[in-house]
Amino acid sequence: MKNSPLRYAVIGAGGIATYHLRDIGSQPSVEIVGISDPADPATWRVAADYAAVPRFQDAEKMLHATRPDLVSICTPNKFHQPLTLLALRHGAHVACEKPMAMNVAEAEEMEVARAAADRLGGINFSYRNVTAFRFARELIARGELGRLLRVNTVYLQSFLGAPATRYSWRNDVAIAGFGALGDLGVHMIDGVRFVTGLDYRRVVGIAQTLLPEKTDAAGIAHPVTTDTNAAFLAELTGGVVATFETTQVAPGYGNFFRIELSGERGTLAVHSDHNDELWLRIGGLATHHATWKTDIPLQKIPTEFAATGGPTTPGAIVHAIRGRQVDFPTFADGLRAQRVLGAILDSMKTGAWQTLA
Ligand SMILES: NC(=O)c1ccc[n+]([C@@H]2O[C@H](COP(=O)([O-])OP(=O)(O)OC[C@H]3O[C@@H](n4cnc5c(N)ncnc54)[C@H](O)[C@@H]3O)[C@@H](O)[C@H]2O)c1
């Protein structure tokens, strides 16, 4: 019904849930109808601003009781697929966290179910919101750098190496599916595809677990079964070579995600933690380069992104549900990234390049 508010519910009340609630729940004519998480509600990490929202410990009961039009899935990775299927069965559109699923088969099943239910599905590739990434995408799409020659991407964090960081589901491969590769690598995989407009033709990778164990809050040690470090190489459309490195244990790096690329006319770098800045190097000789760092907020540059009002993830799906033409990361994008992750894992088993269809 055109004028009735969009009924919105969240499954999983941890750290990321607050971002979904803020981005989706703050939009005009959106009513937050419920939050569900099996843990004791007293322990939920979701912001206190949402304390008045009806709370449930059973997702199915919440879906029955609240009949949402849109559901965010903010749980550990293992539950993305079953809870997405559940929400679709209840007739809701789905905004799911990344990585989309534990493996390609699950992600395919989610996309098939979404299409059969005729609902929309979004994956929260949140770095598509970084203004500098969007601006770089526009520059490249307009051919300002000329033909692309190379791409290098790093996503470095330190949190897992810190003794204060407790053992969690993120360190258990049976629940997380991946370590740095799936948690951070999936952002790099989607980010490069988003910024360059190029897709993956073949990949080869390696991953390691450099931290044998972590202790939980009770001081009990558990083995870390996920990768803490991963590196991979990709050939993109047109033969462009892209290199990737990610880690959760690089001291001194809080959250550093950088995409650097060169075209015939210049080298450009964008950083997740410098939302409004873009580094550009031009000139033919190493000793005669110019480095340009913008000192005006990129948000103020009249790009297509700014002109369209700049819907972000995960909230852009609300615009799409309301029939507006918006570019947001869909289940198809999530599935594509999952296929690249799957191919990297296959290459680690076989020691050989894996081709993507
Ligand atoms: N897009 C991003 O940049 C970004 C950033 C952080 C986390 N994430 C993703 O968000 C998801 C959750 O991460 P987080 O940091 O919020 O974790 P978290 O540990 O803070 O919270 C997870 C919550 O899910 C709950 N939960 C566990 N099993 C559940 C189930 N079956 N049904 C409902 N709730 C369940 C837990 O009790 C917990 O409250 C992960 O998939 C993660 O990869 C994405």
Side-chain angles (χ1 to χ4, degrees), residues 14-16 37-38 45 75 77 80 97-98 124 126 169-170:
I16 201 68
D37 190 305
R45 287 178 60 205
T75 66
N77 307 341
H80 291 182
E97 263 308 332
K98 49 50 60 174
N124 188 25
S126 42
W169 65 266
R170 291 173 193 279

Side-chain angles (χ1 to χ4, degrees), residues 192-207:
V192 164
R193 196 167 154 256
F194 178 70
V195 168
T196 65
L198 303 178
D199 209 339
Y200 294 81
R201 283 172 44 171
R202 57 179 185 146
V203 291
V204 64
I206 186 168

